Amino acid sequence: FSYLLKADDDVFVNAKRLVDVLKLKTTPKKSLYMGKLHQKPFVQRDGKWRVSFEEYSGTHYPDFCSGAGFVMSYDVVESLVPLFDVMKPYRLDDVYVGMLSEKLGVRAVDNEGFVMPFHEGDYDKCNFVPNTLVQHRAIGECLIRLCLYHNVNYPPRPPF
């Protein structure tokens, strides 16, 4: 494979558009770690993603892409795997991937096509965003509507 997409089960993936973006001459073929970028986010000490000082003593995490969905080039995936035996696993998987990438010197990059709700009230909304590659929180009727809005062949038609 040339690229790997990691996606949660509650995301809409516009596969055709994503492949088109990956085929662009401007899309790096190596050292690619792309998604919805979180730049130097604060470590949360309370709430859903609470982390104790024992778990992580820093005040900020390294840059990382949202775990709802991100893309990596083959060389990045190949280089990350050996680090699993070197760096202790971290319970926030997307942060852990950011830590591993930082150790490799691979910079996470933002792509506006990765759509993630930021406000708690937005989690249950099904918003159409043009040029979406990956959209978090797309389940049930929302997933069907997004497929229709983005002209995705849904449901899949048999090849005959």
Side-chain angles (χ1 to χ4, degrees), residues 22 79-80 98-99 123 144:
L22 294 174
S79 297
L80 285 180
M99 292 172 176
Y123 274 102
I144 293 168

Side-chain angles (χ1 to χ4, degrees), residues 13-82:
V13 177
N14 190 341
K16 181 182 180 335
R17 185 156 193 321
L18 180 59
V19 168
D20 288 346
V21 166
L22 294 174
K23 286 181 177 179
L24 292 173
K25 290 182 181 179
T26 55
T27 301
K29 306 303 179 218
K30 293 187 178 244
S31 298
L32 181 67
Y33 171 32
M34 173 178 75
K36 179 63 183 170
L37 180 64
H38 296 279
Q39 285 187 288
K40 302 291 181 222
F42 283 105
V43 176
Q44 295 184 23
R45 301 299 177 188
D46 57 353
K48 182 178 180 179
W49 293 285
R50 174 184 64 248
V51 172
S52 70
F53 284 99
E54 291 77 27
E55 290 175 283
Y56 190 84
S57 61
T59 58
H60 293 78
Y61 290 123
D63 293 354
F64 67 92
C65 293
S66 170
F70 58 81
V71 171
M72 291 182 155
S73 55
Y74 176 85
D75 64 305
V76 173
V77 175
E78 184 179 45
S79 297
L80 285 180
V81 172

Side-chain angles (χ1 to χ4, degrees), residues 139-156:
I139 56 175
E141 279 297 314
C142 178
L143 182 59
I144 293 168
R145 284 196 319 234
L146 289 173
C147 287
L148 293 171
Y149 293 156
H150 289 284
N151 295 314
V152 174
N153 185 14
Y154 182 87

Side-chain angles (χ1 to χ4, degrees), residues 109-129:
V109 294
D110 189 57
N111 183 295
E112 291 179 355
F114 289 77
V115 180
M116 312 293 153
F118 281 103
H119 305 290
E120 197 64 38
D122 291 343
Y123 274 102
D124 294 324
K125 294 180 182 170
C126 186
N127 297 318
F128 171 77
V129 179

